[in-house]
Amino acid sequence: MLSKIAGALLLLFLAALPTPAAELPRSGNPVFDRTVRLVVDSFYDRSALDRFEDAVRREIEDSRSPVTAASPAERVDTAIDAILASLQVSHTGRFRPDGIDYFELADVFRYALRADMRRLFSPDGEAAYAGIGMIVRQGNGLGFVSEVYDGSPAARAGILVGDEVISVDGAPYREIISFRGKAGQTVEIKLRRRPGDQPLDKTVQVKLLRPLPMFEKAIEDSATIMERDGRKIGYIRLWTLAAPRSMNKVAEALARGPLEQADGLVLDLRGRWGGGSADAAELFLGGTPPFRLIQRDGEAILANVRWRRPVVAIIDEGTRSGLEVFAYALKAKGVRLVGARSAGALLAGRVFLLPDDSLLELAVSDAVIGDDTRLEGRGVQPDLPVPFILPYAAGRDPQRDAAVDEMRRILADG
């Protein structure tokens, strides 16, 4: 009897072992092959690997341009993009050093890359790039400013969301190349604010930007008070939860900063990256009382900040990952959301360094809220949908305006 039980247990153990994947053909290109290996070994959803492997074979066996050791970089780039797209999930993509995303992700995942940071970002090992603090979205051959980080050189120069970027120092705009080697100098940016208008010229200071400290400063600099109907409405933008002091910056602004006297708050969750703690929304939802430690000299240290006044939040397709958990928690507690559906990008990602020093972000874990709620591919729906049209917006922000109006209504209703 015992031998039968032992045999059954052995069969169960063997059945639980992972089945080795069929050996995939190799292209001979180290970047492509390493990408394939990492996906097969680390991607969270085994059920997606069959179609991934089919996509790999299509690229290697392509009759017109197979991926080989001799393939040009452009062909390898398109092949990697294609095989990663076959996985059909967020937190999965390749990033190269010619884009701002590369530097921001390297800083977000700096601990995973710590063995290579000094080599990648000499001499001090800090992810940093020369820039002006704006993001440009490309479409139909044109580039439009989609984000201007609060307090950045671009913001101080008067560049607005929606501006068409024509050139930088007389050359086409490139995220990194346009500013490389120019930190401490100025550049001339040619913009168009409305269709058919004559271009505007802006002189902008170039700075060496470290992403996470820049995000913390942008959160701090975004805090403002506006007077409406005799009430004070506060506003702050949570660009990311991934910076170490993201929520501290919000708490400080609320407890003893520019938002301390606000009657209500508009919380902007239209971010760049998610990250952060899954319970970050507790600052607005938690039931524990505010708590301070008072030093001998009378200085108060904020140990537990809680906001008890009304909140309205703004979301859009830039609200992703940890910021979606934040938005979901607010909505579940009755906080009104204004804007557009969030990204539907809630998985746990990890970054890997590829042989050419590009970064591979890969979804390595599923993410579930409560018992079975998944936001991946679904997102969070706003209570008050408000569209935003980017080209030539000239700084107008209908989503923010609608959120302020919603807060005015809430305050008027008591």
Side-chain angles (χ1 to χ4, degrees), residues 93-97 101-103 105-106 113 120 351-354 356-361:
R94 178 168 167 245
F95 301 88
R96 292 172 283 279
D101 285 356
Y102 178 90
F103 292 86
L105 271 179
L113 300 172
L120 292 172
V351 158
F352 301 87
L353 192 65
L354 294 175
D356 64 347
D357 287 340
S358 61
L359 297 178
L360 173 66
E361 185 186 20

Side-chain angles (χ1 to χ4, degrees), residues 124-145:
D124 58 4
E126 298 288 351
Y129 64 97
I132 62 172
M134 74 177 186
I135 303 297
V136 174
R137 189 182 303 170
Q138 302 289 339
N140 297 321
L142 300 176
F144 295 93
V145 177

Side-chain angles (χ1 to χ4, degrees), residues 400-412:
R400 175 171 164 164
D401 292 345
V404 171
D405 286 343
E406 185 67 12
M407 180 53 67
R408 290 173 65 186
R409 183 191 64 77
I410 291 172
L411 293 174

